[in-house]
Structures are given as C-alpha cells and as structure tokens.
Amino acid sequence: MKRFSYFTVFAFAITMLTSCQLIGDIFKAGVWSGVILVVVVIAVIIWIIAKVAGGGKR
C-alpha cells in the first residue's frame, strides 16, 4: 500500500509540473551540487598541499 501511495504522489507531481519547469528545477539542483562539489574538492587539495608542505609542524 505504501508503494502505491508513493506512485500516486509521483504521478500527481509529474502531471502538475510542465516539462520545462521540471528540467529547469533539475538543472538548478545540478548547478548547485556542482558548485558545492568543486568548492569541497578545492578545499581538500589546499589541505593536502598544506600538510605536504609542512603546515602541520609545530
């Protein structure tokens, strides 16, 4: 029964959203996910360079 309710909500959402709006929302989520991923990767690279260069010595 739970599976049927998820399907019903999904079907309702598909019929209520236009295709352009749906694609636009997916693109916006993808852009922000990409931005966050790039920032995290750059932060990790800077952290690794700092550790290798001796930034952790006291």
Side-chain angles (χ1 to χ4, degrees):
M1 188 66 168
K2 195 173 192 178
R3 184 184 237 176
F4 179 73
S5 63
Y6 286 138
F7 178 74
T8 305
V9 170
F10 182 70
F12 180 74
I14 287 176
T15 58
M16 295 307 289
L17 292 174
T18 63
S19 60
C20 291
Q21 183 180 3
L22 182 64
I23 297 299
D25 291 342
I26 292 172
F27 179 71
K28 286 179 190 174
V31 167
W32 281 111
S33 299
V35 168
I36 291 171
L37 184 65
V38 166
V39 168
V40 168
V41 168
I42 290 173
V44 168
I45 290 172
I46 291 172
W47 179 75
I48 290 172
I49 290 173
K51 289 292 182 181
V52 170
K57 293 182 182 177
R58 291 180 182 224

